[in-house]
């Protein structure tokens, strides 16, 4: 059996464009290839204009927050990304792209996007750091992102820090958890904003499936598939339940 | 729980996967992207790709092969061989590698480790340590290992254990520890070397050099404290499959990721 038959999330007659935000020097080949595999057209976004044609955006990235924020600012992408999120359009943050959603990073003290209440801290009590390898992602509730993926499935991680939601709705942001010394949020969601600490583009068949799910969910969101997809900017912390 | 990784290593020379006892008697074992895809399908948790012609001949890493490999196998890819600068590391990452392994160049200029870690994050920086047991040690002396470079041909006088601690301080996020004495010999991993290093550093350690059978993988983890185990020829020549190795690890109580499609 093939480990991952390419699973198309987009009908051949349709075009779905995903802007992958390119603000650094990391590996974008894998995410680009995985999104192409599920049938989307990938735009490597380096300028604000690159977001105009996109149906969804993916912010990937590894490493520290401060240089990432600096590069995003230099590319004048910070405000367009914030506007994108505030207008309820679909966002997926991967690894650093998840961490940047919070208010600040304790890794280097950088102020980050501040879309979600909380901060990025080093994993507590980890037997090894960085946390590198495949680990189980345990869902706390259902979400279309994990459609067809077994509870507790393994995904690939490579990081030392993780986002910690804060405030009265903190617990509701946590979509899935993973344990490495202590438990941390390995997937978060609020309305139109999704984030995963692991790397779906490096997580074999389940990773490709998760990206296909993101594309389908994004298309449904764009089609206005009901209150389930209340955008963050519309003031709903009730979204995504 | 974090899984213990099984990693096939693709030693590449002139664009083909080869294996010999380091740098001699090289045997052609296939096309790198094709083998990487096969291993990913068979349950490889990661692929390590070493351009073994790069360091000796001073050539750059074969970026197009890196990219073709990255596009065919949706598992993490570590690339080593001939990376001597931050710019070269950037190019390898851009071609599709998730991590870059530094070896000879790090010994020549340890600041390369910290500069690469500062630029790309320590999680992207693997330092490969090729270690050879010091000869002449009597039974009463503690074992010691020396760092060797250029594929094991050149001694450095640097103590391998001290070097492992130093590179972690400099920003290495992972160590790939190869016993040059065992490499290609199929006599088992040097678990003593592994334990000496894993007991002193906090970062994940990949064991390499000497794998013969599934029991060796178990020993590298249980006795050596390794997080991951790497092998080449036993997989390339289909002496053992990744699934066989993982079954043995699971039977020994080690956490492993299920081979895709076998659950």
């Amino acid at each position: 059996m093939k480990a991952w038959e390419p699973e198309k999330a987009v009908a051949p007659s349709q075009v779905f464009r995903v802007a992958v935000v390119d603000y650094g020097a990391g590996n974008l080949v894998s995410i680009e290839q995985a999104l192409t595999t599920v049938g989307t057209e990938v735009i490597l976004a380096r300028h604000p204009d690159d977001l105009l044609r996109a149906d969804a955006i993916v912010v990937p990235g590894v490493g520290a927050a401060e240089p990432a924020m600096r590069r995003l600012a230099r590319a004048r992408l910070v405000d367009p990304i914030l506007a994108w999120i505030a207008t309820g359009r679909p966002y997926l943050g991967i690894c650093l792209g998840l961490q940047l959603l919070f208010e600040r990073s304790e890794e280097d003290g950088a102020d980050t996007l501040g879309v979600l209440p909380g901060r990025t801290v080093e994993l507590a009590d980890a037997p090894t750091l960085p946390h590198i390898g495949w680990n189980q992602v345990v869902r706390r509730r259902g979400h279309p992102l994990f459609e067809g993926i077994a509870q507790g499935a393994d995904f690939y991680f490579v990081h030392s820090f993780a986002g910690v939601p804060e405030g009265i709705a903190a617990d509701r942001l946590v979509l899935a958890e993973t344990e490495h010394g202590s438990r941390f949020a390995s997937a978060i969601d609020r309305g139109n904003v999704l984030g995963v600490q692991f790397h779906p583009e490096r997580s074999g068949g389940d990773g490709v499936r998760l990206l296909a799910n993101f594309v389908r969910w994004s298309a449904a969101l764009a089609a206005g598939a009901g209150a389930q997809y209340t955008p963050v900017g519309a003031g709903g912390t009730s979204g995504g339940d | 729980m974090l899984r213990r990784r099984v990693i096939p290593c693709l030693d590449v020379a002139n664009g083909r996967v080869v294996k010999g006892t380091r740098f001699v008697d090289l045997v052609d074992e296939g096309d790198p992207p094709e083998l990487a895809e096969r291993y990913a399908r068979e349950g490889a948790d990661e692929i390590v790709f070493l351009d073994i012609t790069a360091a000796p001949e001073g050539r750059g890493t074969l970026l197009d092969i890196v990219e073709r490999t990255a596009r065919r196998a949706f598992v993490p890819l570590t690339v080593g061989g001939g990376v001597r600068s931050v710019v070269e590391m950037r190019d390898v990452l851009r071609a599709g590698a998730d991590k870059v392994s530094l070896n000879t160049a790090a010994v020549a200029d340890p600041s390369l480790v910290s500069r690469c870690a500062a630029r790309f994050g320590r999680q992207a920086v693997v330092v490969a340590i090729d270690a050879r047991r010091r000869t002449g040690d009597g039974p009463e002396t503690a074992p010691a290992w020396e760092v060797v470079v250029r594929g094991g041909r050149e001694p450095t006088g640097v103590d391998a254990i001290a070097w492992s601690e130093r590179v972690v301080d400099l920003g290495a996020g992972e160590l790939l520890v190869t016993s040059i004495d065992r490499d290609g010999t199929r006599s088992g991993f040097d678990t003593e070397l592994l334990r000496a290093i894993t007991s002193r550093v906090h970062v994940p350690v990949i064991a390499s050099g000497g794998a013969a059978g599934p029991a060796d993988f178990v020993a590298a983890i249980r006795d050596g404290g390794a997080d991951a185990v790497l092998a080449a020829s036993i997989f390339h020549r289909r002496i053992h499959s990744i699934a066989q190795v993982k079954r043995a690890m699971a039977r020994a109580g080690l956490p492993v990721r299920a081979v895709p499609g076998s659950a």
Side-chain angles (χ1 to χ4, degrees), chain A residues 57-140:
Chain A
I57 67 175
V58 171
V59 178
V62 290
E66 194 276 328
M69 287 303 295
R70 191 156 26 90
R71 290 199 197 98
L72 279 178
R74 198 187 301 149
R76 292 174 291 117
L77 282 165
V78 174
D79 288 339
I81 289 171
L82 289 173
W84 179 278
I85 291 171
T87 51
R89 284 174 285 177
Y91 174 106
L92 174 64
I94 296 174
C95 194
L96 185 59
L98 157 60
Q99 297 171 9
L100 294 180
L101 290 167
F102 292 99
E103 293 161 292
R104 67 185 179 282
S105 171
E106 290 193 350
E107 183 169 10
D108 49 21
D111 285 328
T112 47
L113 295 172
V115 171
L116 302 176
R119 69 219 147 87
T120 297
V121 304
E122 191 170 65
L123 295 179
D125 305 318
T128 49
L129 275 183
H131 174 221
I132 297 179
W134 299 75
N135 204 335
Q136 290 182 284
V137 172
V138 179
R139 264 125 54 199
R140 304 237 317 229

Side-chain angles (χ1 to χ4, degrees), chain A residues 1-4 24-30 32-34 36-37 62-64 67 71 126-136 152 154-160 178-180 199-205 208, chain B residues 1-5 37 40-42 44-46 67 69-77 89-90 93-99 118-124 172-174 202-204 227 256-258 260-262:
Chain A
M1 174 182 163
K2 257 198 139 176
W4 44 79
N27 168 20
L28 291 181
V29 173
S30 312
E32 184 205 336
Q33 184 65 36
T36 303
T37 298
V62 290
R71 290 199 197 98
T128 49
L129 275 183
H131 174 221
I132 297 179
W134 299 75
N135 204 335
Q136 290 182 284
D154 290 318
F155 286 87
Y156 189 79
F157 290 83
V158 51
H159 66 120
S160 296
T178 295
E179 188 164 348
H180 183 58
H199 290 267
E201 75 281 14
R202 282 315 204 195
S203 295
V208 174
Chain B
M1 187 169 202
L2 184 61
R3 309 309 196 180
R4 303 298 179 148
R5 287 166 283 158
E37 188 186 12
R41 196 176 292 157
E42 291 175 357
D45 295 313
E46 197 169 318
E67 180 166 346
T69 305
R71 288 193 186 281
R72 285 178 68 162
F74 293 125
V75 296
L77 178 61
M89 175 158 173
R90 182 199 64 194
L93 293 176
R94 277 193 180 158
D98 299 283
K99 297 182 271 187
R119 175 72 191 272
F120 307 107
R122 63 165 51 220
Q123 82 295 323
E174 193 165 42
H202 197 51
V203 302
D227 282 80
V256 290
R257 180 176 71 106
S262 73

Side-chain angles (χ1 to χ4, degrees), chain B residues 21-24 26 52-58 103-104 130-132 146-156 180:
Chain B
T21 300
R22 290 246 158 170
F23 301 101
V24 291
L26 297 179
I52 64 168
T53 50
E57 295 166 18
N103 190 343
T104 303
D130 292 347
R132 173 170 285 149
E146 178 181 11
V147 175
V148 292
V149 294
R150 304 201 183 281
R153 290 174 305 200
E154 195 177 303
T156 64
I180 289 296

Side-chain angles (χ1 to χ4, degrees), chain B residues 38-56:
Chain B
R38 191 190 99 198
Y39 287 135
R41 196 176 292 157
E42 291 175 357
D45 295 313
E46 197 169 318
I47 305 285
V48 167
F49 179 108
L50 295 178
D51 186 1
I52 64 168
T53 50

